[in-house]
Amino acid sequence: MKRFIKIFVICILCMAACCSCSLNTKPISLESSMEIPEDGIISAEIFKKLKEENKVITFYGISGDMKYEWTVFGEDIQEPKDTNLKVEVEKDKENRLVFRLCSEEELGFMPVLSLYSAHLWEADSAVVYRKGEKEPLCSVSVTGNKTSVLNFSVTQIGEFDIKGEKTEVLEAETTAPEKDTQQAVETDPYLSDGKANDGQALSNEKDDGGRVLSDGKQEGQDQYKTDPVPEGKPLPVEPENQDVDEEQTYTCTFSIECSTILNNLEDLNEDKLDVLPTDGVILSERTVTFYEGESVYDVLKRICQENDIHMESSWTPMYNSAYVEGIHNLYEFDCGSGSGWMYRVNGWYPNYGCSRYQLAQGDKVEWRYTCDLGADIGGGYSVGS
């Protein structure tokens, strides 16, 4: 009898222990955005579930007055483990941004780190340096309107500096031959007396690429509904008037990125998660060759074909230019009602279509995806230029 009672008590205790374990174990629920705990540790169980469900999640935290976020793609996780995602951000004596990853070991995957600055950076882009080193570690995409968001991918741990950069136009490697004056009158949409065909007063000044520059005195729109071009910027040309000379070649830099989507994942069409690059970079900055007379659109079309990047466009007669609808299967409205593609040349977002922007030696061309009609990437004109 005593033996029976003893066995009965042991069974009861085991059942109680099992119930206790069951009650204390909560199922892991993955939210689209999760706060980083004070110690910075995200458990292996969360990463395991993230990998199994192949989700994209942002982990966010605060350092001083600056918010930071990690965007993690489940497909990038190789071996789930406890990982410290805590970041410490501050400014040094030279007023540069300094950040430190608190993890003591490599993360084991490549997330995107976003730093939300309390003010608007004047830099077009930025570069990350390991503390004390002179060689750049990676480039930074700078987005934002009233404040700036810095997006970049880090694969190492330690302490780093972020240095802002202004776009600089490369010096010409080739001198363009002087054009015949009469030919310039015929190919340019402006008359030799400095007046456009709609009567707007224009400058006859040209840049090194032979492009006519605006004097900033135009009033009203031209026949293709183009607002006045800022002073010193190239005036638009018309595709039907351009002669491409394949005997004369130049170089420029091209890049395509959509990092601002990583800061607006809640607005992204779920069907497009599979095509979203984990670091937001579709085509890293590279030097490309173009022919005299080619437009931004001409080169975009060619480099997309050469690099097997999807690109779709349509012709818009009203604006006499091609309209870029989608790149890398990311289209307008895929990330909100104000989303789509815009292009920037030498730090400026032209207010006319990419088919009307004639390239010159050393131009820096960036195709960027906006989620807020350009306000989040420093532009203010219609998307799909």
Side-chain angles (χ1 to χ4, degrees), residues 75-86:
E75 63 182 10
D76 281 356
I77 300 171
Q78 300 299 319
E79 298 181 5
K81 62 181 180 179
D82 290 352
T83 305
N84 190 343
L85 293 183
K86 187 174 182 179

Side-chain angles (χ1 to χ4, degrees), residues 331-348:
Y331 285 79
E332 56 180 341
F333 311 136
D334 273 347
C335 196
S337 59
S339 64
W341 288 99
M342 295 181 66
Y343 75 103
R344 179 168 71 174
V345 184
N346 304 327
W348 174 57

Side-chain angles (χ1 to χ4, degrees), residues 32 56-58 71-73 260-269 273 276 335:
S32 60
V56 182
I57 291 180
T58 57
T71 303
V72 181
F73 287 71
T260 189
I261 294 179
L262 301 174
N263 308 127
N264 297 274
L265 287 173
E266 67 278 3
D267 296 326
L268 181 64
N269 183 334
L273 279 175
L276 178 64
C335 196

Side-chain angles (χ1 to χ4, degrees), residues 24-313:
N24 291 331
T25 302
K26 295 181 179 180
I28 296 175
S29 176
L30 295 180
E31 305 294 335
S32 60
S33 182
M34 303 179 70
E35 184 175 6
I36 297 173
E38 188 173 346
D39 63 1
I41 303 297
I42 304 298
S43 70
E45 288 75 14
I46 290 179
F47 284 113
K48 181 180 179 181
K49 190 173 181 64
L50 178 57
K51 177 180 175 62
E52 292 174 345
E53 298 185 5
N54 193 26
K55 285 193 172 183
V56 182
I57 291 180
T58 57
F59 297 98
Y60 65 91
I62 301 292
S63 178
D65 61 351
M66 184 169 290
K67 176 186 176 182
Y68 63 91
E69 285 183 347
W70 293 95
T71 303
V72 181
F73 287 71
E75 63 182 10
D76 281 356
I77 300 171
Q78 300 299 319
E79 298 181 5
K81 62 181 180 179
D82 290 352
T83 305
N84 190 343
L85 293 183
K86 187 174 182 179
V87 180
E88 295 178 348
V89 189
E90 60 183 11
K91 289 184 179 179
D92 63 10
K93 295 179 180 179
E94 298 179 1
N95 206 36
R96 292 179 303 186
L97 207 58
V98 177
F99 70 95
R100 185 174 72 88
L101 305 186
C102 296
S103 177
E104 296 181 355
E105 59 180 340
E106 300 292 338
L107 301 181
F109 53 92
M110 184 183 289
V112 172
L113 177 59
S114 301
L115 302 181
Y116 290 77
S117 174
H119 62 280
L120 185 65
W121 275 40
E122 295 183 358
D124 298 320
S125 60
V127 176
V128 174
Y129 295 86
R130 179 176 285 280
K131 193 70 174 178
E133 296 184 1
K134 296 183 178 180
E135 290 296 322
L137 188 62
C138 65
S139 60
V140 180
S141 170
V142 181
T143 65
N145 184 11
K146 296 182 179 179
T147 60
S148 291
V149 183
L150 285 64
N151 296 297
F152 52 96
S153 293
V154 287
T155 57
Q156 303 179 18
I157 59 173
E159 191 169 349
F160 308 87
D161 293 324
I162 299 181
K163 181 181 179 182
E165 294 185 335
K166 275 287 187 182
T167 298
E168 294 184 3
V169 182
L170 302 175
E171 294 183 0
E173 297 177 2
T174 307
T175 302
E178 294 185 3
K179 293 184 177 180
D180 179 81
T181 304
Q182 183 61 36
Q183 180 185 5
V185 173
E186 292 175 351
T187 57
D188 287 341
Y190 306 102
L191 304 180
S192 58
D193 62 358
K195 292 181 180 294
N197 50 21
D198 60 357
Q200 296 180 19
L202 303 172
S203 169
N204 278 322
E205 181 183 354
K206 295 188 177 184
D207 64 8
D208 293 338
R211 300 177 297 194
V212 180
L213 304 181
S214 168
D215 62 4
K217 298 179 181 179
Q218 299 96 307
E219 295 180 359
Q221 297 179 330
D222 69 8
Q223 60 180 322
Y224 296 117
K225 301 187 181 301
T226 303
D227 291 326
V229 177
E231 182 179 2
K233 298 300 183 183
L235 290 166
V237 297
E238 307 314 328
E240 65 272 17
N241 294 331
Q242 287 304 103
D243 293 323
V244 176
D245 182 2
E246 296 188 2
E247 297 296 322
Q248 191 68 43
T249 60
Y250 304 92
T251 59
C252 65
T253 63
F254 248 77
S255 63
I256 307 173
E257 63 97 8
C258 58
S259 59
T260 189
I261 294 179
L262 301 174
N263 308 127
N264 297 274
L265 287 173
E266 67 278 3
D267 296 326
L268 181 64
N269 183 334
E270 290 185 1
D271 294 336
K272 294 306 174 77
L273 279 175
D274 291 340
V275 300
L276 178 64
T278 57
D279 61 354
V281 178
I282 296 171
L283 182 77
S284 58
E285 182 177 308
R286 62 194 60 193
T287 300
V288 299
T289 300
F290 67 94
Y291 303 118
E292 180 180 290
E294 284 195 307
S295 67
V296 168
Y297 175 74
D298 293 329
V299 180
L300 172 68
K301 184 178 179 180
R302 183 165 61 249
I303 64 175
C304 282
Q305 290 175 341
E306 293 174 349
N307 292 276
D308 197 26
I309 298 173
H310 157 272
M311 193 274 282
E312 185 173 346
S313 64

Side-chain angles (χ1 to χ4, degrees), residues 324-335:
V324 176
E325 300 174 1
I327 301 176
H328 196 63
N329 281 300
L330 291 169
Y331 285 79
E332 56 180 341
F333 311 136
D334 273 347
C335 196

